[in-house]
Amino acid sequence: MWRLRRAAVACEVCQSLVKHSSGIKGSLPLQKLHLVSRSIYHSHHPTLKLQRPQLRTSFQQFSSLTNLPLRKLKFSPIKYGYQPRRNFWPARLATRLLKLRYLILGSAVGGGYTAKKTFDQWKDMIPDLSEYKWIVPDIVWEIDEYIDFEKIRKALPSSEDLVKLAPDFDKIVESLSLLKDFFTSGHKLVSEVIGASDLLLLLGSPEETAFRATDRGSESDKHFRKGLLGELILLQQQIQEHEEEARRAAGQYSTSYAQQKRKLKYQRILERLEKENKELRKLVLQKDDKGIHHRKLKKSLIDMYSEVLDVLSDYDASYNTQDHLPRVVVVGDQSAGKTSVLEMIAQARIFPRGSGEMMTRSPVKVTLSEGPHHVALFKDSSREFDLTKEEDLAALRHEIELRMRKNVKEGCTVSPETISLNVKGPGLQRMVLVDLPGVINTVTSGMAPDTKETIFSISKAYMQNPNAIILCIQDGSVDAERSIVTDLVSQMDPHGRRTIFVLTKVDLAEKNVASPSRIQQIIEGKLFPMKALGYFAVVTGKGNSSESIEAIREYEEEFFQNSKLLKTSMLKAHQVTTRNLSLAVSDCFWKMVRESVEQQADSFKATRFNLETEWKNNYPRLRELDRNELFEKAKNEILDEVISLSQVTPKHWEEILQQSLWERVSTHVIENIYLPAAQTMNSGTFNTTVDIKLKQWTDKQLPNKAVEVAWETLQEEFSRFMTEPKGKEHDDIFDKLKEAVKEESIKRHKWNDFAEDSLRVIQHNALEDRSISDKQQWDAAIYFMEEALQARLKDTENAIENMVGPDWKKRWLYWKNRTQEQCVHNETKNELEKMLKCNEEHPAYLASDEITTVRKNLESRGVEVDPSLIKDTWHQVYRRHFLKTALNHCNLCRRGFYYYQRHFVDSELECNDVVLFWRIQRMLAITANTLRQQLTNTEVRRLEKNVKEVLEDFAEDGEKKIKLLTGKRVQLAEDLKKVREIQEKLDAFIEALHQEK
């Protein structure tokens, strides 16, 4: 019974505590009663073992308001059971503090077990990928050997640097200290009543504080605690408002110069990291370049795009196809620093330089791409120039200068032909730039008169492309009013949607310009009518051409760090240095490429369809062969025709050589050898004269004439094979090319120098031989002599006819009349013929008295003649008389072979002239045979070699092929091939561009 009474008393105490609690209305469950209360009422409850109840939240804390004085209750002593005699508030405080520890420990144990179980389940679900380990490149597993992570960690900014970058919170600290003083001085009562843990609780959210701050005190303290809590909540809100004001004040307190300085410092850190990244990428690219992965690397996007532009540069834009693909066009006044800006972007001194002289004489397309080594190479050459070596840089500059001078035609100063150059290196921004000749205001001495107009037309041709990015370079060290290029750019891009303005030589401008705000006006575009996407200021060196790119970059960074333009906020950090310019231009370039490349591909598809339709309608049965393919076909035909020269028979060669040689030397033989010797009327004198003249002729003229005849014969045969129609297979489109190849090959061919010496000996020996072995040779010599004399007689009669005019038959039949001069010649001829009839053995020359007699006889008939006219007429009349006499003598010698064998002993017949013509005929046959051997054994092969060389030279000369292979068919096939090539390359580029996205 006494146990029941004790329990009832304890329950009443608990109920009274619950009723006086200020935070909760209604009855509390058993778990929320005090530990001692539960142990009194429920003696068998588990809390008898002093277990700590679980807390509802991990943030539950106990208020020190339980320290307020309560009424002391006296309990009857219990002799058995666990009932310590002490106050309730220490026990409650200790017990609730221990609840957080068990909650954290239990949560950690349970959460760890659950996480381990979940991880094991996921691990069992993941398939075994150890068999596919070979897919991952070896460099991934060996990355720690090539990348120094410790070096990267050291390169990262330290905590001290990051703290320096943070805003200044001095004002925040001052504001908090003021609040602290106010709190300590005005609320001492609060600090005495509440403890440290309750202060932290009160600084939390108001709702949580009101909910947690429960008390077991009396009803009279309830209102006091509520007022105190409301005041603390109000203080907390004020503190938060002061903190926000302090942050805003701290942000306003930091000036723009400090911000710019921090940005520059952060930019230097980024540049250092990028430099490290550049070295690491270079190592990776070098290892990849050595073929460690054993796979074929794909061509980069910028290289694919550059190939498209190279094809377009050779395309004929006259066929309604315009090149609207993006590229960065660099324009500026002469000596404004265009080339220097390009060199800073390319990170190498690659262009020729001159002080005040025009160095850029033709557009230079520079394709920048990333690679393991810093090299440069031309589109049409396989040589790589190492840009890290000064000798290679000098060779590259010299090569660019030679190509520019080669492109410039005679009488011009600049050329529109483009030089294509690729530059690769680690850390280069991918883009395509075109450096144009500098715009000039005045044509100086040494320039062509149209130089200024030509430069303007070249610049407009590139800038009128609606997708071209215009990089306008302006010299900051000269007056802005003297600029020419800004007006030109404003005409091409009036809204500035694709123009980037760059002010160079800012260091000189800041030093020379009295008002720095003028530079700001230039940068902001207020001094020019032109508009631009962005404005940049750069420094490209101190004016010394021997400065390295690294030294210029350091000088540029140092200048802008100390420049007033940044300190006074005239320029922003992202508007300075060529590095920021390069990044901005690259981003703008690729944005323009992505926006326009697909539209350009569609336009080329339409052009291709039109060209294919035109070809099918005009040439349905012909294959589409462009100029290069047609040249290869013509080349094969020409080589086949040269080879066919070796198939000419020896007999044919000797016949044409002998005939051609006699036609060449017959006049000399008749006029200079035979006629002078035959007029001696003495066999001994005849033979002596013939031997002397033949020896002189052989030593000086005959071998050279023979070689000329052989070379002309070879040309004629070669031309016959080249121009001979081949029937239906003949294609007249090759005629001009074949004729040019023939002429150039003949011009280059030279006969063997030793041929004349050997031929001279052979001809001399042949003419020394006077022995005719048989009657057949004798008859052949007589026949040869008759043909020669008859040909000369016919020529002489034609000459006499032209001299005296038509005879009476032609005058009657064809109604022709003689001129007065012809009548005089006719009267003179008749008078001379009368003289010859009187003396048929008259010598070849007229005496003076004979000339006088003829002239007087003519004067007696009323014909006035000049002595020279009489001599000219006598020469032809006597020549005809002599040739007729020689032909009669030739007929008599047909039966003279018998007397020849007896050396004309006891015979009045002398046939020495027949022996002469036999010697000439035999010399011609031996010479023809010798020349034929030289032709077939040596000269034909040398000619074939020359033809091959000419064809190779023509194959490399694009202008020559364009000139020789012309016509609508050729141009249509050429356009169709190029459009197909451009479309295929554009499609491949677009596909790669989508894959990169």
Side-chain angles (χ1 to χ4, degrees):
M1 294 299 291
W2 63 271
R3 292 182 179 176
L4 293 177
R5 287 195 299 268
R6 295 282 185 178
V9 173
C11 290
E12 290 178 359
V13 174
C14 292
Q15 291 176 2
S16 64
L17 289 174
V18 172
K19 290 180 181 180
H20 289 84
S21 298
S22 61
I24 302 173
K25 294 182 180 180
S27 61
L28 290 173
L30 181 62
Q31 288 80 3
K32 296 184 179 181
L33 296 177
H34 196 269
L35 179 63
V36 180
S37 301
R38 289 200 304 265
S39 62
I40 295 174
Y41 185 75
H42 304 281
S43 58
H44 299 286
H45 195 269
T47 53
L48 292 172
K49 299 179 181 179
L50 299 180
Q51 295 182 355
R52 296 174 180 170
Q54 295 184 355
L55 301 176
R56 285 193 301 271
T57 61
S58 59
F59 300 98
Q60 183 175 358
Q61 300 183 18
F62 298 98
S63 175
S64 59
L65 293 174
T66 54
N67 294 329
L68 294 174
L70 300 177
R71 287 183 298 176
K72 298 181 181 180
L73 297 176
K74 296 182 180 180
F75 298 98
S76 301
I78 300 174
K79 297 182 180 178
Y80 53 88
Y82 179 74
Q83 182 64 34
R85 292 182 59 87
R86 59 179 179 177
N87 294 330
F88 288 153
W89 66 269
R92 289 201 304 271
L93 180 60
T95 303
R96 296 199 178 187
L97 289 177
L98 292 176
K99 287 181 182 180
L100 179 61
R101 189 177 306 170
Y102 281 101
L103 177 61
I104 295 174
L105 180 61
S107 300
V109 174
Y113 176 76
T114 305
K116 182 178 183 303
K117 187 176 180 181
T118 305
F119 174 74
D120 293 338
Q121 291 177 356
W122 287 359
K123 186 176 181 182
D124 295 337
M125 293 170 61
I126 296 174
D128 188 8
L129 300 178
S130 59
E131 298 180 358
Y132 303 95
K133 186 177 179 181
W134 56 273
I135 296 178
V136 182
D138 297 338
I139 193 171
V140 175
W141 310 111
E142 302 173 2
I143 192 69
D144 55 342
E145 298 181 7
Y146 304 99
I147 299 178
D148 191 355
F149 291 101
E150 184 64 24
K151 191 174 183 181
I152 295 176
R153 186 186 65 79
K154 291 180 179 179
L156 291 174
S158 61
S159 59
E160 297 178 356
D161 295 334
L162 293 177
V163 169
K164 293 179 181 178
L165 295 177
D168 189 4
F169 290 101
D170 294 339
K171 209 162 187 178
I172 298 175
V173 175
E174 294 177 1
S175 300
L176 291 176
S177 61
L178 292 174
L179 290 175
K180 184 179 179 182
D181 296 338
F182 171 76
F183 181 77
T184 53
S185 61
H187 297 79
K188 293 181 180 180
L189 180 60
V190 177
S191 61
E192 292 177 357
V193 175
I194 60 176
S197 59
D198 294 303
L199 180 60
L200 292 174
L201 180 62
L202 291 173
L203 292 178
S205 64
E207 293 82 1
E208 185 179 359
T209 306
F211 183 77
R212 300 284 179 190
T214 59
D215 184 35
R216 276 65 173 181
S218 64
E219 185 70 24
S220 61
D221 300 329
K222 180 178 180 180
H223 298 288
F224 172 74
R225 288 195 297 271
K226 286 184 178 181
L228 183 60
L229 287 175
E231 189 176 358
L232 290 175
I233 292 170
L234 182 61
L235 287 174
Q236 180 190 359
Q237 293 176 352
Q238 292 178 355
I239 290 173
Q240 291 178 354
E241 291 176 359
H242 282 290
E243 287 179 354
E244 292 295 333
E245 292 178 359
R247 292 192 186 96
R248 288 194 298 269
Q252 296 175 358
Y253 179 76
S254 56
T255 61
S256 59
Y257 170 68
Q259 291 178 357
Q260 296 290 343
K261 191 172 182 180
R262 284 195 297 272
K263 288 182 180 179
L264 286 176
K265 187 174 182 180
Y266 184 63
Q267 185 174 352
R268 289 197 299 271
I269 296 173
L270 288 178
E271 289 176 356
R272 186 170 69 250
L273 293 176
E274 287 180 356
K275 187 175 181 181
E276 297 291 338
N277 186 29
K278 177 180 175 181
E279 296 296 330
L280 295 174
R281 289 179 63 85
K282 183 176 180 180
L283 292 174
V284 173
L285 290 172
Q286 285 177 349
K287 186 163 186 178
D288 191 60
D289 191 43
K290 294 177 182 177
I292 294 179
H293 300 313
H294 304 286
R295 70 173 186 267
K296 185 178 180 180
L297 294 177
K298 292 183 179 180
K299 191 176 293 184
S300 65
L301 274 176
I302 192 64
D303 291 336
M304 296 171 66
Y305 187 75
S306 179
E307 288 180 359
V308 176
L309 297 182
D310 289 337
V311 177
L312 280 172
S313 64
D314 300 331
Y315 185 74
D316 187 6
S318 63
Y319 197 84
N320 297 328
T321 300
Q322 298 179 355
D323 174 16
H324 287 170
L325 287 175
R327 71 260 287 160
V328 181
V329 180
V330 186
V331 294
D333 299 328
Q334 184 179 355
S335 302
K338 298 186 295 75
T339 303
S340 299
V341 172
L342 274 178
E343 287 179 340
M344 291 294 290
I345 295 175
Q347 300 181 13
R349 295 271 195 177
I350 58 178
F351 292 104
R353 310 186 69 83
S355 57
E357 182 184 359
M358 177 181 290
M359 301 305 297
T360 306
R361 297 180 177 270
S362 64
V364 182
K365 181 177 76 68
V366 183
T367 303
L368 300 179
S369 59
E370 192 173 19
H373 307 288
H374 202 186
V375 296
L377 66 159
F378 292 96
K379 178 188 70 173
D380 54 354
S381 176
S382 59
R383 178 186 177 184
E384 286 190 353
F385 297 87
D386 190 351
L387 302 183
T388 60
K389 298 180 180 179
E390 187 58 37
E391 56 271 15
D392 281 18
L393 281 172
L396 176 61
R397 291 191 290 266
H398 181 66
E399 180 66 21
I400 292 176
E401 186 174 1
L402 290 179
R403 288 174 179 258
M404 287 183 180
R405 296 187 181 277
K406 181 180 178 181
N407 290 343
V408 176
K409 297 180 181 179
E410 186 177 357
C412 300
T413 307
V414 294
S415 170
E417 297 183 14
T418 305
I419 299 174
S420 182
L421 179 67
N422 294 340
V423 178
K424 299 182 179 180
L428 293 182
Q429 299 297 322
R430 302 178 302 168
M431 66 183 98
V432 177
L433 304 103
V434 182
D435 185 20
L436 300 181
V439 179
I440 61 175
N441 191 19
T442 305
V443 177
T444 59
S445 61
M447 292 185 180
D450 61 342
T451 301
K452 180 180 178 180
E453 290 75 14
T454 305
I455 294 176
F456 268 82
S457 63
I458 294 173
S459 302
K460 289 182 179 179
Y462 277 92
M463 288 191 293
Q464 69 184 1
N465 178 0
N467 296 322
I469 300 169
I470 303 174
L471 195 63
C472 180
I473 309 298
Q474 170 66 33
D475 189 352
S477 62
V478 300
D479 295 335
E481 291 77 10
R482 295 167 55 186
S483 176
I484 311 170
V485 70
T486 52
D487 295 336
L488 181 61
V489 173
S490 299
Q491 296 175 8
M492 296 293 103
D493 184 23
H495 301 290
R497 295 173 181 171
R498 51 189 179 91
T499 302
I500 297 177
F501 182 82
V502 181
L503 186 67
T504 62
K505 306 178 184 179
V506 184
D507 52 344
L508 300 179
E510 186 180 25
K511 184 186 301 182
N512 299 332
V513 177
S515 176
S517 60
R518 185 175 177 83
I519 301 178
Q520 184 182 9
Q521 292 177 355
I522 296 176
I523 289 294
E524 294 177 354
K526 294 180 180 179
L527 287 182
F528 302 107
M530 62 170 290
K531 300 178 182 179
L533 282 174
Y535 300 88
F536 289 87
V538 298
V539 175
T540 56
K542 301 178 181 179
N544 186 5
S545 59
S546 61
E547 287 182 291
S548 64
I549 296 296
E550 192 64 29
I552 296 175
R553 190 181 297 276
E554 292 177 358
Y555 171 71
E556 182 184 38
E557 293 178 357
E558 182 181 357
F559 167 77
F560 282 116
Q561 287 176 9
N562 303 321
S563 175
K564 298 178 181 178
L565 300 174
L566 283 181
K567 292 181 179 179
T568 57
S569 300
M570 293 184 182
L571 293 178
K572 298 179 182 179
H574 67 274
Q575 288 184 300
V576 297
T577 72
T578 53
R579 177 185 171 277
N580 291 335
L581 172 65
S582 176
L583 292 172
V585 173
S586 179
D587 292 341
C588 187
F589 168 76
W590 283 107
K591 180 182 178 182
M592 190 73 75
V593 167
R594 291 185 176 93
E595 291 176 354
S596 61
V597 68
E598 293 186 359
Q599 181 181 359
Q600 293 300 308
D602 293 338
S603 66
F604 279 106
K605 287 179 183 179
T607 304
R608 174 179 176 178
F609 176 78
N610 296 335
L611 292 175
E612 288 177 346
T613 304
E614 186 177 358
W615 181 272
K616 290 177 182 178
N617 294 333
N618 294 315
Y619 311 102
R621 298 182 180 180
L622 292 179
R623 191 160 58 96
E624 301 168 4
L625 299 178
D626 62 355
R627 188 171 280 109
N628 292 329
E629 293 172 340
L630 288 172
F631 182 83
E632 290 299 323
K633 183 179 179 181
K635 177 180 177 181
N636 295 331
E637 289 186 7
I638 293 172
L639 293 177
D640 292 341
E641 291 163 357
V642 173
I643 293 174
S644 61
L645 283 174
S646 61
Q647 299 176 358
V648 179
T649 60
K651 182 180 178 181
H652 179 73
W653 278 119
E654 291 182 7
E655 287 178 355
I656 58 178
L657 283 171
Q658 188 172 350
Q659 182 181 357
S660 301
L661 183 60
W662 172 243
E663 290 176 357
R664 182 65 63 86
V665 301
S666 59
T667 303
H668 181 82
V669 171
I670 299 297
E671 302 292 336
N672 298 330
I673 298 177
Y674 173 65
L675 290 178
Q679 293 172 6
T680 59
M681 299 301 177
N682 189 335
S683 61
T685 307
F686 178 85
N687 291 331
T688 302
T689 304
V690 165
D691 291 342
I692 292 173
K693 290 186 177 295
L694 286 177
K695 181 68 169 59
Q696 294 175 352
W697 184 44
T698 305
D699 292 340
K700 296 180 180 179
Q701 300 180 7
L702 183 57
N704 187 20
K705 293 288 184 182
V707 171
E708 290 180 0
V709 168
W711 177 220
E712 291 176 359
T713 304
L714 179 60
Q715 295 179 29
E716 292 175 359
E717 288 298 307
F718 179 53
S719 301
R720 182 173 65 85
F721 281 106
M722 293 279 287
T723 57
E724 187 178 15
K726 306 297 188 299
K728 294 182 179 180
E729 297 180 358
H730 178 70
D731 195 348
D732 56 357
I733 203 171
F734 299 141
D735 292 345
K736 292 176 66 176
L737 176 61
K738 290 181 178 180
E739 185 67 23
V741 171
K742 183 195 72 173
E743 293 178 357
E744 185 66 23
S745 302
I746 290 171
K747 187 186 298 183
R748 294 186 184 185
H749 185 80
K750 293 182 179 180
W751 204 272
N752 192 356
D753 297 335
F754 301 101
E756 291 186 12
D757 297 335
S758 59
L759 193 61
R760 183 179 292 109
V761 177
I762 294 172
Q763 290 172 342
H764 182 73
N765 294 333
L767 291 174
E768 288 292 330
D769 189 5
R770 298 184 180 85
S771 60
I772 303 176
S773 59
D774 53 10
K775 182 68 167 56
Q776 185 178 1
Q777 293 181 356
W778 182 266
D779 294 339
I782 291 175
Y783 179 75
F784 175 65
M785 180 179 175
E786 285 180 346
E787 284 189 344
L789 295 178
Q790 287 177 357
R792 289 295 162 183
L793 179 60
K794 185 177 179 180
D795 294 340
T796 304
E797 289 179 348
N798 291 333
I800 292 174
E801 184 179 357
N802 294 330
M803 184 182 295
V804 300
D807 57 2
W808 65 272
K809 290 182 179 180
K810 291 183 179 180
R811 289 199 304 270
W812 281 95
L813 293 176
Y814 302 107
W815 293 85
K816 293 183 178 181
N817 295 321
R818 290 174 177 170
T819 63
Q820 184 65 28
E821 185 179 0
Q822 288 177 344
C823 292
V824 174
H825 277 289
N826 184 51
E827 295 293 334
T828 307
K829 176 182 75 70
N830 294 333
E831 189 67 24
L832 292 174
E833 286 178 347
K834 293 177 184 179
M835 186 185 299
L836 281 176
K837 286 181 180 179
C838 297
N839 185 11
E840 293 184 353
E841 295 183 355
H842 193 283
Y845 300 100
L846 287 174
S848 300
D849 55 347
E850 293 176 335
I851 295 175
T852 304
T853 301
V854 173
R855 184 169 61 83
K856 288 182 178 181
N857 292 336
L858 292 174
E859 288 178 354
S860 64
R861 295 199 296 270
V863 179
E864 296 290 337
V865 294
D866 190 77
S868 61
L869 187 145
I870 297 173
K871 291 181 181 179
D872 294 340
T873 307
W874 168 255
H875 177 73
Q876 298 296 335
V877 171
Y878 179 80
R879 184 185 182 87
R880 181 175 64 177
H881 170 73
F882 177 79
L883 290 174
K884 289 180 178 180
T885 305
L887 285 173
N888 293 331
H889 180 71
C890 186
N891 289 328
L892 294 176
C893 290
R894 289 182 182 277
R895 301 183 297 273
F897 181 70
Y898 173 74
Y899 298 104
Y900 167 74
Q901 289 180 332
R902 297 181 60 184
H903 303 288
F904 300 105
V905 178
D906 300 332
S907 174
E908 296 180 357
L909 183 65
E910 293 182 356
C911 298
N912 294 320
D913 50 357
V914 177
V915 177
L916 170 63
F917 278 92
W918 181 82
R919 294 166 69 182
I920 298 296
Q921 185 182 26
R922 187 167 181 273
M923 183 272 299
L924 293 175
I926 294 175
T927 302
N929 181 269
T930 305
L931 293 174
R932 188 266 306 169
Q933 293 179 4
Q934 292 182 1
L935 281 172
T936 56
N937 296 335
T938 306
E939 302 304 327
V940 171
R941 295 180 180 176
R942 293 179 63 225
L943 178 61
E944 181 181 357
K945 182 180 178 181
N946 289 336
V947 170
K948 290 181 179 178
E949 291 178 354
V950 171
L951 289 172
E952 290 176 358
D953 294 343
F954 283 7
E956 296 177 358
D957 192 349
E959 293 182 357
K960 185 76 71 174
K961 287 191 289 187
I962 294 174
K963 181 180 179 181
L964 299 177
L965 293 173
T966 58
K968 180 180 178 181
R969 170 185 157 195
V970 181
Q971 191 62 41
L972 186 58
E974 191 75 12
D975 293 343
L976 186 55
K977 178 196 173 185
K978 288 183 178 179
V979 169
R980 283 175 178 168
E981 184 179 2
I982 292 169
Q983 182 190 347
E984 292 173 359
K985 291 183 179 295
L986 272 178
D987 291 342
F989 173 74
I990 293 172
E991 182 180 358
L993 192 63
H994 290 328
Q995 290 178 358
E996 187 181 66
K997 284 186 179 179

